[in-house]
Amino acid sequence: FTTTGITVFSGLYSMPKSIIFWRSLMQLLGGLGILTFFLLISTRAKGETWQLFSAESHKINVSRPVPNIFKTVKILWMIYLGFMFLQSVILIFLGLSVFDAFTHSFTTLSTGGFSHYDASISHFANSNYQNYILIEYVITFFIFTLPNV
């Protein structure tokens, strides 16, 4: 599970939708899934979890967003899923199928940007989607938005 990687397949359009969905879901879970997994493992260990968590944060101001680290992760997951649903709804409104909208939202939010078309998001321009420029803008906006939250 990762948010980065390389596509080694060509002819993605001919692959089963289940493989494409799994590929996109793995990338979605790679982002905050790593943080969640870290917290699950570290809370089982002796010591203060927050010290490990804050060791990787900015040194200027290390303050906890909420009193409980698990509540913090829950808030982060809610933000992550909220952006995913918002982007999916916008993409559906712009003419993408539900499958295309969600799989592109999965990979956009994890900043990997995988598309399940060989031409990536230029597929929408090549396939004469009426709103292809807006589709590109929405995908670009959401790639840059979530990492800055």
Side-chain angles (χ1 to χ4, degrees):
F1 292 89
T2 180
T3 62
T4 60
I6 187 165
T7 300
V8 294
F9 299 115
S10 60
L12 294 170
Y13 57 86
S14 64
M15 291 189 167
K17 285 190 175 187
S18 59
I19 298 293
I20 300 299
F21 182 80
W22 178 247
R23 179 177 173 254
S24 300
L25 184 64
M26 283 190 337
Q27 191 170 351
L28 174 74
L29 296 176
L32 283 180
I34 296 302
L35 176 62
T36 305
F37 178 74
F38 167 76
L39 289 173
L40 177 70
I41 298 301
S42 64
T43 56
R44 303 283 186 240
K46 300 287 184 194
E48 181 64 38
T49 305
W50 181 250
Q51 290 174 350
L52 295 172
F53 187 75
S54 65
E56 294 300 320
S57 65
H58 295 287
K59 303 301 180 208
I60 296 171
N61 182 12
V62 180
S63 62
R64 296 171 71 171
V66 295
N68 184 326
I69 195 75
F70 290 105
K71 288 181 183 176
T72 303
V73 171
K74 183 178 177 182
I75 290 170
L76 290 174
W77 269 105
M78 290 299 112
I79 292 170
Y80 205 69
L81 294 174
F83 273 107
M84 184 200 63
F85 282 113
L86 178 63
Q87 181 183 3
S88 296
V89 167
I90 293 170
L91 290 175
I92 290 168
F93 179 74
L94 292 175
L96 268 64
S97 69
V98 173
F99 180 79
D100 281 352
F102 274 95
T103 54
H104 280 88
S105 294
F106 288 178
T107 60
T108 298
L109 292 175
S110 59
T111 66
F114 286 157
S115 176
H116 55 272
Y117 297 107
D118 288 341
S120 192
I121 61 172
S122 65
H123 164 81
F124 303 119
N126 299 338
S127 298
N128 297 322
Y129 277 76
Q130 185 177 4
N131 298 316
Y132 74 91
I133 292 176
L134 289 174
I135 292 168
E136 290 181 16
Y137 285 154
V138 167
I139 289 173
T140 303
F141 174 79
F142 279 94
I143 281 178
F144 288 115
T145 301
L146 190 64
N148 296 317
V149 169

